[in-house]
Amino acid sequence: MSSIKFINELEATHTTSLYGLEKIIADNDNCEYLFEAANRVRQKFVKQEVHLKALIEISNICAKKCFYCGLRSKNKSLKRYKMSADEVVSCAKEAAISGYKTIVMQSGESSAFKDDEICKIIREIKKFGVQITLSFGEKSFEQYKAYKEEGADRYLLRIETTNQALYKALHPNMSLKNRIKCLENLRILGYETGSGLLVGLPGSSAKILARDLMFLKKHDFDMIGIGPFIPATNTPLEHSKAGEIKLALKANALTRLLLPEINIPATTAIETLDPNEGRKMALRSGANVIMPSITQGRYHDLYRLYPNKFCLKESVAEIYDRFDDMLALIGDKISLTNGNSVHFNQRQGL
Ligand code: 5AD
Ligand code: SF4
């Protein structure tokens, strides 16, 4: 059976059954129809504007052992780094001067940075008048609270998958329950809260993905990032099959249809699978955010979640101009707002 009636239902009402989602995911004959519907919803709810956010990968040290990730602690062949606070702040300053409205700081999950250091960095960067997004993994309520009180605005923590068995198999010594708790804590603390999925993982299925998407809808996140799994060397999944870009784009489009006002990045993993067209395809199937890494050179090459991770070699300012030009070609433009999602602003009554 064709999935068109479910796509139409989603476009009109932003909801459908689990069965409908599963049908759309399994139907490879109507992908363009799905992408076009997501694009229309994107234009209607979040306009032709794209938020450009500068990503700084502050440390690749990680204490966790996620089976898919090149940063897992058991990967002894990766040289580990931790940027100095001064390096992070000056990188953020350069981005702010170049016009970026949001600085995203990401790291593996570890205590390489002490909370005091993180708080100091947040304080310094806030002086540049930008919004701050953090992505440091699972932390305690008190830690999230301390960062928020210093001025952090947003937090990204992907759920990856909501299937208990799959989650358990891929995340030694971690629990889905705690991850959900972290996401709830972030929301309670007033963060603009983002989550997301890793799609095409070995052991996943259309049914699992449909349930994952329903979870995202139910939790009503402000931002959702979806990337295809890419096998990483020196991990237990290095010989597994990569996720398909089309599946990631479908999940991206479904996310836009389910949650029309949120922010959705065109993820680096999608770009990595198709460096020429990936980003454009994602922007045309629901995405409205680009998060280029500005951790240049020696550090970026070490933030190796998976091989050949897409990276632009230009300066922070040149990357800004490059996207300005690229977006003009497809009829979009860089947003000059602070980068909040329409969804978050509405929740705040802004
Ligand atoms: N392929 C694609 N994405 C990955 N991530 C980690 N390892 C991989 C991989 N091999 C993603 C996870 C994590 C984010 C920081 O990077 O989804 O949340
Ligand atoms: Fe660490 Fe995150 Fe990679 Fe898991 S996905 S090993 S927590 S960096």
Side-chain angles (χ1 to χ4, degrees), residues 266 271 274 277-283 290 310 312 323 326:
E271 286 179 345
D274 185 343
E277 295 298 317
R279 184 188 312 110
K280 210 163 83 186
M281 288 193 293
L283 290 171
I290 302 175
F310 184 85
L312 294 162
F323 283 118
M326 175 276 212

Side-chain angles (χ1 to χ4, degrees), residues 133-151:
T133 305
L134 305 178
S135 180
F136 301 151
E138 296 178 22
K139 302 272 181 184
S140 69
F141 184 88
E142 285 66 35
Q143 289 175 299
Y144 289 149
K145 184 160 179 272
Y147 311 152
K148 187 81 184 68
E149 283 171 356
E150 290 301 342

Side-chain angles (χ1 to χ4, degrees), residues 25-294:
I25 294 164
D27 179 2
N28 275 327
D29 295 333
N30 292 295
C31 294
E32 287 310 318
Y33 191 86
L34 171 67
F35 298 158
E36 282 165 20
N39 194 30
R40 279 192 297 276
V41 169
R42 190 265 224 184
Q43 316 273 0
K44 182 168 161 196
F45 288 88
V46 298
K47 309 207 194 77
Q48 303 269 120
E49 296 192 346
V50 172
H51 300 290
L52 191 60
K53 307 190 176 188
L55 172 65
I56 309 176
E57 293 142 327
I58 68 172
S59 168
N60 68 352
I61 300 170
C62 188
K64 295 289 168 82
K65 302 186 189 74
C66 307
F67 267 37
Y68 42 79
C69 179
L71 303 194
R72 67 198 306 268
S73 60
K74 282 202 151 185
N75 181 4
K76 303 290 180 210
S77 67
L78 182 66
K79 186 168 171 267
R80 304 287 167 164
Y81 73 88
K82 177 191 167 203
M83 287 173 76
S84 72
D86 285 349
E87 282 175 313
V88 177
V89 173
S90 70
C91 199
K93 185 173 185 183
E94 196 186 340
I97 291 169
S98 307
Y100 296 80
K101 309 284 185 213
T102 295
I103 307 297
V104 185
M105 284 185 277
Q106 188 172 69
S107 71
E109 201 174 303
S110 81
S111 47
F113 276 91
K114 300 283 163 273
D115 288 329
D116 286 356
E117 274 182 291
I118 294 178
C119 288
K120 184 159 177 279
I121 291 172
I122 294 171
R123 258 196 318 276
E124 291 298 315
I125 295 181
K126 277 312 268 186
K127 291 182 187 158
F128 308 139
V130 288
Q131 300 292 107
I132 296 184
T133 305
L134 305 178
S135 180
F136 301 151
E138 296 178 22
K139 302 272 181 184
S140 69
F141 184 88
E142 285 66 35
Q143 289 175 299
Y144 289 149
K145 184 160 179 272
Y147 311 152
K148 187 81 184 68
E149 283 171 356
E150 290 301 342
D153 302 280
R154 313 188 183 115
Y155 205 99
L156 301 174
L157 182 68
R158 286 189 184 172
I159 195 75
E160 318 289 2
T161 177
T162 62
N163 181 273
Q164 276 285 3
L166 189 57
Y167 192 91
K168 196 159 183 288
L170 298 176
H171 302 99
N173 305 323
M174 290 170 75
S175 87
L176 191 53
K177 202 168 147 219
N178 191 55
R179 207 150 181 96
I180 296 173
K181 185 81 201 149
C182 286
L183 286 163
E184 287 168 356
N185 285 343
L186 291 163
R187 184 73 175 244
I188 291 168
L189 286 162
Y191 279 95
E192 183 170 9
T193 307
S195 193
L197 306 174
L198 197 45
V199 303
L201 282 164
S204 193
S205 64
K207 191 175 224 125
I208 291 178
L209 180 54
R211 287 186 192 279
D212 289 345
L213 291 165
M214 277 303 191
F215 169 90
L216 298 177
K217 167 88 177 165
K218 185 176 126 214
H219 281 257
D220 195 31
F221 293 111
D222 301 302
M223 314 175 277
I224 292 174
I226 294 186
F229 158 67
I230 301 172
T233 25
N234 299 311
T235 67
L237 300 184
E238 72 176 314
H239 300 300
S240 301
K241 196 168 149 281
E244 284 173 22
I245 189 165
K246 190 148 249 171
L247 184 66
L249 291 169
K250 280 160 86 174
N252 202 59
L254 285 167
T255 303
R256 174 59 68 202
L257 291 170
L258 287 164
L259 293 154
E261 288 155 344
I262 66 165
N263 277 347
I264 301 180
T267 56
T268 310
I270 291 181
E271 286 179 345
T272 301
L273 287 187
D274 185 343
N276 294 321
E277 295 298 317
R279 184 188 312 110
K280 210 163 83 186
M281 288 193 293
L283 290 171
R284 280 292 152 265
S285 54
N288 70 323
V289 176
I290 302 175
M291 233 159 42
S293 164
I294 60 159

